[in-house]
Amino acid sequence: MILPIVAYGDPVLKKKATDITNDYPNLQDLLANMFETMYNAYGVGLAAPQIGLPIRLFVIDTTPFSEDEDLSEAEQKALVGFKRVFINAKIIEESGDEWAFNEGCLSIPDVREDVFRKPNIVIEYLDENFQPQKESFDGLVARVIQHEYDHIDGVLFTDKLSSLKKKLIKGRLTNISKGKINVDYRMRFPDQKKKR
């Protein structure tokens, strides 16, 4: 089932999410719905707060990035079929020299900006079967994980921009929260005037 994606301005996006237990109701259905919602919006990642749930859960499938011809063959290969569920994730290490990448977000449509992040991470998480995992990632896979991880900490990529950049996009962000934007997937806008 395709769920509406929560737009910029909704308080759930600024909330630090809470861990879940393995008896979380209808978890497998929720995961299936999250993947379906993400694919429908042509995303590569989706965090639970983006569908209005303040829980530490996100899903990723970086396959669409693998078609980027600017990437090396090794990078493309790493991205194909990289599909994961991250539950109660905790990044325990970020290392390397920060690099810029033009990021976007399904909750902030039509806004893309360069964000600096470290290239290497070590993360502990539970998979969809609640099995503990500890893995290292780098490059674009790490970047997508960091972006989604920020969501479960109540951080948006726009929070990482300079104050000048934030001023420049303020009007666009206000329009998004009011629903004054054309988007080809279901969204829920926090400041949209209720239709009578």
Side-chain angles (χ1 to χ4, degrees):
M1 181 171 71
I2 294 167
L3 306 166
I5 292 173
V6 171
Y8 179 90
D10 192 301
V12 74
L13 296 175
K14 301 302 281 177
K15 208 171 175 179
K16 197 170 169 71
T18 52
D19 284 352
I20 61 170
T21 54
N22 61 359
D23 58 358
Y24 190 83
N26 305 317
L27 181 61
Q28 295 308 318
D29 290 343
L30 173 61
L31 294 174
N33 291 343
M34 284 179 71
F35 275 113
E36 190 178 351
T37 300
M38 179 184 82
Y39 293 139
N40 178 65
Y42 303 103
V44 292
L46 185 68
Q50 292 181 276
I51 53 162
L53 297 174
I55 57 174
R56 294 186 78 79
L57 164 66
F58 59 90
V59 300
I60 280 172
D61 186 344
T62 60
T63 304
F65 275 170
S66 67
E67 292 153 23
D68 186 339
E69 289 161 11
D70 294 337
L71 300 175
S72 71
E73 206 173 308
E75 287 173 311
Q76 288 177 331
K77 212 170 184 172
L79 295 163
V80 174
F82 183 85
K83 181 179 174 180
R84 294 282 167 88
V85 170
F86 292 83
I87 298 170
N88 302 345
K90 189 167 178 46
I91 291 180
I92 50 178
E93 190 185 318
E94 293 181 287
S95 60
D97 295 331
E98 288 193 340
W99 61 293
F101 184 80
N102 198 253
E103 292 190 20
C105 178
L106 296 177
S107 292
I108 313 173
D110 291 347
V111 174
R112 298 191 66 84
E113 293 292 341
D114 283 351
V115 177
F116 286 85
R117 297 186 190 272
K118 294 191 172 176
N120 308 305
I121 62 166
V122 180
I123 187 168
E124 293 177 339
Y125 66 99
L126 301 170
D127 65 19
E128 61 272 26
N129 302 310
F130 268 78
Q131 295 306 304
Q133 308 288 336
K134 181 180 177 180
E135 291 187 271
S136 303
F137 297 106
D138 61 19
L140 270 180
V141 168
R143 161 91 41 180
V144 175
I145 291 169
Q146 288 163 311
H147 178 106
E148 298 309 324
Y149 183 85
D150 278 352
H151 275 300
I152 61 173
D153 271 351
V155 176
L156 298 170
F157 84 91
T158 49
D159 297 332
K160 297 182 174 291
L161 303 176
S162 69
S163 47
L164 173 65
K165 276 273 201 268
K166 286 178 185 166
K167 275 192 188 116
L168 291 173
I169 62 170
K170 190 173 189 286
R172 289 162 71 195
L173 296 177
T174 302
N175 282 341
I176 290 168
S177 64
K178 289 179 178 171
K180 293 181 177 175
I181 186 163
N182 288 327
V183 67
D184 55 4
Y185 50 88
R186 282 182 71 197
M187 288 196 82
R188 195 176 84 213
F189 301 99
D191 299 334
Q192 195 168 39
K193 296 277 183 274
K194 302 281 179 271
K195 293 186 172 67
R196 292 176 188 265

